[in-house]
Amino acid sequence: MPNSKMPRHRHLFFYAFLILISSPPSSAELATACFGRDFSQLPSDGYFAAVGDDLWNNGTACGKKYMVSCISSPFSRACKKEKTIQVRAVDRAKTAVSRSSQAGTTITLSRAAFEVISDIRSTWVAIQFKQV
């Protein structure tokens, strides 16, 4: 749950969105709130995110980029402290095909992005982020 005493720190939950680099989606279910089925809009490196309602703002978050780093986790040594990743908002967390495990999630990362900043065995980490 987000901690109101630390507004810059948001909880992050693993986002099990399919990585669309190696195999293009064939199901009509696989569409983003921002770009529909235009998968050419997804970053080719797989570093994308779905944003929560705090950032969504009626879709104005679509295409925005965020620098994200892991700052803590209840799991020992889950954060890769020296790693920061840039992700592009491509979906709304609340309506994404693969949703966060908890309501109120601020940013949900693709698997590829999550692996850069944390141990993939973690189910969630607290993050710090800023729009770039």
Side-chain angles (χ1 to χ4, degrees):
M1 292 180 205
N3 184 339
S4 61
K5 293 180 182 178
M6 296 187 295
R8 293 185 63 180
H9 300 166
R10 306 282 193 228
H11 289 292
L12 169 76
F13 293 88
F14 179 71
Y15 187 59
F17 197 87
L18 294 176
I19 305 305
L20 303 172
I21 298 168
S22 58
S23 59
S26 59
S27 169
E29 289 183 5
L30 295 179
T32 69
C34 295
F35 307 114
R37 288 188 225 137
D38 183 0
F39 299 107
S40 68
Q41 297 296 314
L42 296 178
S44 61
D45 57 13
Y47 300 156
F48 52 88
V51 297
D53 286 340
D54 289 348
L55 297 174
W56 181 248
N57 194 21
N58 294 318
T60 62
C62 288
K64 290 185 179 177
K65 296 179 181 178
Y66 298 90
M67 296 302 292
V68 180
S69 58
C70 181
I71 56 170
S72 68
S73 173
F75 308 100
S76 178
R77 295 182 291 247
C79 289
K80 297 178 182 176
K81 296 284 186 184
E82 305 300 316
K83 298 291 185 174
T84 300
I85 185 120
Q86 180 175 295
V87 296
R88 182 174 186 212
V90 300
D91 213 344
R92 182 180 186 194
K94 188 175 184 177
T95 59
V97 172
S98 296
R99 297 195 184 136
S100 301
S101 59
Q102 255 190 15
T105 299
T106 302
I107 295 179
T108 305
L109 298 177
S110 65
R111 181 181 182 111
F114 190 85
E115 287 179 343
V116 171
I117 65 167
S118 66
D119 185 322
I120 196 65
R121 293 173 291 188
S122 303
T123 54
W124 69 270
V125 296
I127 64 164
Q128 179 173 301
F129 69 94
K130 71 176 184 174
Q131 185 181 338
V132 292

